[in-house]
Amino acid sequence: MNKFSVLVIKFFDMMLQQKIMNAFIGKVVRKDLAFLVKGGLPVPTYVLEYLLGQYCACDDEAAIEEGLAKVRQVIQNNYVHRADSEAIKGKIREQGRHRIIDKVTVTLNEKADEYQAHFANLGLTSVPIGTQYVTDNPKLLSGNGVWCIVTIGYISGEDIKVRWEIQTLKPVQISNVDVQDYIDKRKNFTTEEWLDFIMHTVGLNPEALNRREKFITLARLLPHVENNFNFMELGPKGTGKSHVFQELSPYGVLVSGGDVTSPRLFVRMSGNKEILGLVGYWDVVAWDEFEQQKGRAVDAVLIDTMQNYLANKSFNRGKGTHEASASMCFVGNTKHTIPYMLKNSHLFESIPTSFIKGAFLDRIHLYNPGWEIKMLKKDSFSKGYGLITDYIAAILHNLRNKDLTALLKDYAKFDGSLSERDHLAIRKTFSGMVKLIYPDGNMTDEEAFELIDFAAEGRKRVKDQLYIVDETFKAELAKFKYVREKDGLEINVETLEKVSNALIIPENIPQGNTATSKMNDSDVMLLQDGVATPRQEEPSSERQPRKRFIPLQEKNLFFRLGQTGVTYQSLFADYLKDATEITIEDPYIRASWQVKNLMEFLTMLIDTRDVDDLKVHLVTSEDEDKIPDLIDKLDDIKDDMIGYGIEFDYKFREFHDRCIKTDNGWVISMGRGLDIYEKYSPYSVAAARPDKRKCKEFMVTFTKDNQG
């Protein structure tokens, strides 16, 4: 990226930051501040931002520094370190009372007929707590604890049964928010600005993410905004999969997958009394490290109860049937690369074996492709302003009451081969994404279809793997396609990993609309209902490979953001092999990477055809600031090409359309010209292997001018 591009990005980010401050004054905080005060404290971000929101919700540097000093003082004086617990107890005794920040869990002591509080770091147990505190904050009873600001008093004297008393208790969360005000503020932002705003809010730098990666990151919020949303994300370590479940919201709880039991999750018995588990108190229950671990068995009762809950929002335990609205999330690490899993196993291979069965997996609404998110590094985190975590958590909590699943029917009608679970999954994902990106409901048709495609892909990823792990699902293959209500266009939906790895999909995977067939570089890619998919192999009784002649056709190809396996050779070689003159019209051959693209295109010609006496003409636009340097580079290319038999020349003129023309009549129109790849590191395999690069979203049209 050149210096000008960097400056443009910084300028627009500054404008966005100002918009954020103006629209949500008093509700935003600079997202790097929490890291400055957290240190090694095992405190969720929402706890720290709760404090930062009281002292640092502004853009005045002096006020921020003063606020940071106050927050550090509060943490120093009030946060309880386990190592200092006895010293804090002594301070409470000497002073008579002291305010602390600690994680509090409450249980009911039936014998004493009272509620009792337990402090995680302070180490106090069985401290009586007023019934009203528990009534106002039922999650205190969930068994997982709630971060609170508590004033604890000490009672001196003789014959005192309990010396500790809770004088005040306030959970660290906003009590109420104006949801309509939040929705109304959406109109101040474009869609791209709003996406970047939410990225800042969850603590990530939007400049480090493309649009699809932002959608994948947003999808992690779906369980927070949709009731009973069944979510799974598997991917490499260090990509932030569990971050939003651990740090974002006081309405969600992250538990280790190995520590989950049926009583803890659903209901446990205390004598004759039923005590609800985690699903009864939290909006989101996320299983972290949801992967196979040696020596760890999974309770069959847990799986059966889980299956029923995921499907019906209810569970049968104890004396009766209970209902809950908690979303279930399963987050874990993959063991192998995507190509390996597609070729040798399936995308569920790393989860516990007991869960790899159709009845359970069919209940997953969205399988989020965590492998598409880059490992988080220093520049991955936001240093700009975003909503105070506690505020956005409260907004998402309130938006759960809004059901937009019926909205999808206004835009699309899906194929009848989809099951009701397929339909429900797509509708719920679509509803949640609308609430996250377009909470005011103001979106274009194309923006709505973008969400529909994402929702359908997330469910298709589940269904494709079901065909592998459970043979019975092959009896009724689902066609993931829909008709747009506005214009009648039929759209096929495919997962990106299948489009990018079509060469390695095993032949026993269901074909047609349910899987991608094998593809050779020489095969023709056809645009079928909006998605570039490989040409289907003709059936043959001969098992030996044979080379087929495929006539060149006029066609349109659409390539998705993040798609891999696309090269200049696979796109153009067949159409350029018989030309003696090739004209490249691309106004944006300026920056160093754009010149590099041109050089790679010429190298492709040398590698794929006879180039003796080949003429290649470049037509590009002038840029006064870059013209001297560009001429030097193009002259170097011209001199180099002479040695290979290519007569290369160039000229400048003003224009906008980008295409490649041949003297035998082919016109290849390209929306992005040769600039089809996302930014990649020069120290990566992608630098040497174009097929490993991620693509930008683009379209290519091949037409034949018979007069040419």
Side-chain angles (χ1 to χ4, degrees):
M1 187 176 297
N2 58 28
K3 292 182 179 179
F4 178 76
S5 299
V6 172
L7 290 173
V8 170
I9 291 172
K10 288 184 176 180
F11 173 75
F12 282 107
D13 188 60
M14 289 174 59
M15 291 183 62
L16 174 61
Q17 294 294 305
Q18 193 57 55
K19 272 192 178 183
I20 293 171
M21 294 296 300
N22 293 341
F24 292 97
I25 187 168
K27 300 182 179 69
V28 294
V29 68
R30 215 176 75 200
K31 286 294 168 171
D32 60 327
L33 297 182
F35 293 97
L36 295 177
V37 298
K38 185 171 185 175
L41 298 178
V43 184
T45 299
Y46 67 80
V47 174
L48 297 176
E49 288 196 5
Y50 178 87
L51 300 172
L52 291 167
Q54 296 182 9
Y55 300 106
C56 303
C58 64
D59 60 350
D60 183 86
E61 288 296 331
I64 288 174
E65 287 299 322
E66 185 178 346
L68 280 174
K70 291 180 179 178
V71 172
R72 290 191 180 102
Q73 187 178 10
V74 169
I75 292 175
Q76 182 180 347
N77 295 335
N78 305 110
Y79 174 78
V80 179
H81 296 262
R82 290 187 180 182
D84 300 330
S85 60
E86 292 303 317
I88 298 296
K89 292 176 187 176
K91 180 182 289 188
I92 298 171
R93 179 183 184 276
E94 298 304 319
Q95 297 180 354
R97 58 188 292 182
H98 183 61
R99 180 184 292 179
I100 66 169
I101 301 174
D102 202 351
K103 195 175 190 179
V104 181
T105 303
V106 173
T107 59
L108 174 63
N109 185 326
E110 292 179 323
K111 187 176 181 179
D113 190 27
E114 67 179 12
Y115 291 109
Q116 296 178 342
H118 313 271
F119 295 82
N121 293 341
L122 188 59
L124 291 178
T125 61
S126 305
V127 180
I129 181 173
T131 300
Q132 193 61 46
Y133 290 125
V134 180
T135 303
D136 293 341
N137 306 283
K139 286 199 290 288
L140 290 167
L141 292 167
S142 69
N144 212 70
V146 177
W147 284 94
C148 302
I149 299 174
V150 189
T151 301
I152 299 181
Y154 186 86
I155 305 174
S156 301
E158 299 181 359
D159 299 325
I160 304 297
K161 184 178 179 180
V162 180
R163 296 192 179 277
W164 308 100
E165 67 172 353
I166 295 175
Q167 298 180 352
T168 65
L169 182 144
K170 184 180 187 322
V172 180
Q173 61 185 75
I174 294 175
S175 57
N176 56 73
V177 293
D178 187 342
V179 179
Q180 191 57 50
D181 178 68
Y182 169 85
I183 292 173
D184 292 341
K185 296 291 177 56
R186 171 62 175 89
K187 67 177 183 294
N188 298 319
F189 300 85
T190 66
T191 298
E192 200 62 46
E193 288 174 338
W194 188 258
L195 284 171
D196 288 355
F197 178 28
I198 301 299
M199 292 299 104
H200 280 300
T201 294
V202 300
L204 297 177
N205 176 14
E207 295 176 19
L209 303 167
N210 63 32
R211 190 176 179 92
R212 180 173 170 87
E213 291 165 345
K214 292 173 187 177
F215 270 53
I216 294 170
T217 302
L218 273 178
R220 297 169 177 172
L221 301 180
L222 289 171
H224 292 275
V225 80
E226 276 294 305
N227 290 319
N228 300 104
F229 191 83
N230 307 327
F231 173 96
M232 182 176 290
E233 180 174 342
L234 304 175
K237 296 179 180 179
T239 55
K241 296 185 296 296
S242 59
H243 171 76
V244 296
F245 304 111
Q246 184 174 22
E247 305 281 352
L248 179 72
S249 176
Y251 299 95
V253 59
L254 181 72
V255 295
S256 173
D259 298 333
V260 176
T261 62
S262 187
R264 185 187 182 194
L265 197 61
F266 295 107
V267 67
R268 64 185 185 275
M269 302 300 296
S270 179
N272 294 322
K273 187 177 179 64
E274 295 179 352
I275 300 177
L276 286 178
L278 298 176
V279 298
Y281 295 102
W282 302 90
D283 288 355
V284 180
V285 179
W287 294 34
D288 195 17
E289 300 174 354
F290 187 66
E291 56 223 42
Q292 297 177 20
Q293 297 187 21
K294 290 183 178 180
R296 179 177 291 175
V298 181
D299 184 8
V301 175
L302 170 62
I303 297 176
D304 292 339
T305 309
M306 176 71 70
Q307 285 181 187
N308 188 60
Y309 177 72
L310 295 181
N312 305 314
K313 313 174 190 177
S314 62
F315 50 94
N316 298 312
R317 295 289 293 170
K319 297 179 180 180
T321 300
H322 305 268
E323 292 190 356
S325 61
S327 296
M328 298 298 296
C329 305
F330 307 94
V331 182
N333 297 321
T334 49
K335 295 180 178 180
H336 297 108
T337 65
I338 294 303
Y340 178 93
M341 289 187 283
L342 290 175
K343 184 178 181 180
N344 300 292
S345 57
H346 52 80
L347 299 182
F348 291 120
E349 65 161 21
S350 64
I351 72 173
T353 306
S354 303
F355 288 97
I356 304 178
K357 59 181 185 176
F360 174 80
L361 297 174
D362 192 29
R363 288 152 168 82
I364 301 299
H365 295 136
L366 177 76
Y367 187 161
N368 209 32
W371 51 84
E372 293 188 36
I373 302 298
K374 306 178 190 72
M375 186 174 292
L376 298 180
K377 300 179 180 179
K378 187 177 180 181
D379 61 353
S380 302
F381 298 99
S382 170
K383 295 182 180 178
Y385 286 87
L387 291 171
I388 296 170
T389 301
D390 195 37
Y391 173 80
I392 187 62
I395 292 293
L396 299 182
H397 172 73
N398 280 271
L399 287 176
R400 292 171 72 89
N401 299 321
K402 193 174 183 179
D403 184 4
L404 300 179
T405 55
L407 183 63
L408 188 143
K409 71 177 187 302
D410 296 337
Y411 295 94
K413 182 179 181 180
F414 275 86
D415 191 84
S417 62
L418 269 63
S419 69
E420 180 52 36
R421 284 179 179 163
D422 295 330
H423 284 287
L424 179 62
I426 295 170
R427 290 198 303 268
K428 288 179 74 70
T429 301
F430 176 75
S431 170
M433 293 297 283
V434 171
K435 285 186 273 186
L436 290 170
I437 307 176
Y438 310 102
D440 57 353
N442 186 19
M443 59 184 171
T444 67
D445 289 347
E446 291 305 315
E447 287 173 334
F449 294 133
E450 182 181 30
L451 301 187
I452 293 170
D453 290 344
F454 183 82
E457 182 188 350
R459 175 59 185 180
K460 189 176 190 299
R461 184 169 292 108
V462 175
K463 210 58 178 284
D464 284 347
Q465 305 313 302
L466 283 174
Y467 298 136
I468 302 174
V469 302
D470 192 333
E471 290 278 335
T472 61
F473 281 89
K474 292 182 181 179
E476 297 182 6
L477 298 178
K479 299 178 181 178
F480 278 77
K481 62 182 181 180
Y482 64 90
V483 176
R484 298 176 17 158
E485 292 288 358
K486 299 296 174 73
D487 54 20
L489 183 65
E490 187 175 275
I491 303 294
N492 282 325
V493 178
E494 186 56 274
T495 63
L496 184 59
E497 62 271 12
K498 280 197 167 184
V499 174
S500 297
N501 296 280
L503 283 167
I504 62 173
I505 304 297
E507 294 184 354
N508 63 348
I509 302 299
Q511 300 297 307
N513 287 305
T514 59
T516 305
S517 61
K518 295 178 71 176
M519 180 188 72
N520 298 316
D521 280 341
S522 60
D523 290 340
V524 179
M525 304 260 302
L526 301 174
L527 184 69
Q528 298 178 348
D529 302 309
V531 179
T533 57
R535 174 186 294 275
Q536 299 293 311
E537 289 284 348
E538 299 174 355
S540 174
S541 59
E542 299 180 11
R543 306 302 292 177
Q544 295 181 352
R546 56 190 178 92
K547 193 170 183 178
R548 296 182 293 116
F549 173 76
I550 302 175
L552 299 179
Q553 301 178 13
E554 294 188 333
K555 59 184 180 180
N556 295 313
L557 298 181
F558 175 77
F559 295 91
R560 293 165 55 180
L561 180 64
Q563 183 172 337
T564 60
V566 182
T567 66
Y568 292 150
Q569 178 175 339
S570 62
L571 281 174
F572 307 127
D574 289 342
Y575 287 81
L576 303 178
K577 63 183 180 181
D578 295 325
T580 58
E581 286 194 42
I582 300 170
T583 301
I584 307 165
E585 296 185 358
D586 191 333
Y588 298 105
I589 304 294
R590 299 176 185 177
S592 57
W593 80 86
Q594 294 167 333
V595 179
K596 183 176 182 294
N597 289 337
L598 173 63
M599 195 64 213
E600 288 190 354
F601 178 85
L602 295 171
T603 303
M604 178 272 295
L605 294 176
I606 295 171
D607 291 339
T608 59
R609 53 159 290 162
D610 181 11
V611 294
D612 287 338
D613 300 321
L614 174 63
K615 296 180 179 179
V616 179
H617 312 288
L618 171 67
V619 183
T620 189
S621 63
E622 288 187 89
D623 186 332
E624 293 184 1
D625 294 334
K626 295 185 177 295
I627 201 72
D629 181 56
L630 179 59
I631 288 176
D632 288 342
K633 292 176 180 176
L634 294 178
D635 282 342
D636 286 344
I637 293 175
K638 182 178 180 178
D639 293 340
D640 188 55
M641 289 298 106
I642 293 174
Y644 297 94
I646 297 177
E647 183 181 330
F648 174 80
D649 59 39
Y650 59 89
K651 64 180 179 180
F652 302 98
R653 66 177 172 85
E654 291 300 318
F655 64 105
H656 299 285
D657 294 335
R658 294 176 244 195
C659 66
I660 298 172
K661 299 177 180 177
T662 69
D663 61 343
N664 58 356
W666 283 107
V667 179
I668 307 171
S669 300
M670 309 167 62
R672 294 189 177 274
L674 297 178
D675 192 13
I676 63 174
Y677 298 116
E678 288 265 291
K679 183 181 178 182
Y680 55 88
S681 169
Y683 310 106
S684 65
V685 173
R689 292 275 303 276
D691 61 308
K692 301 299 183 183
R693 299 172 190 170
K694 290 185 177 181
C695 285
K696 299 176 180 179
E697 184 178 284
F698 71 100
M699 178 175 283
V700 183
T701 301
F702 297 79
T703 57
K704 185 68 179 286
D705 180 4
N706 294 318
Q707 302 299 318

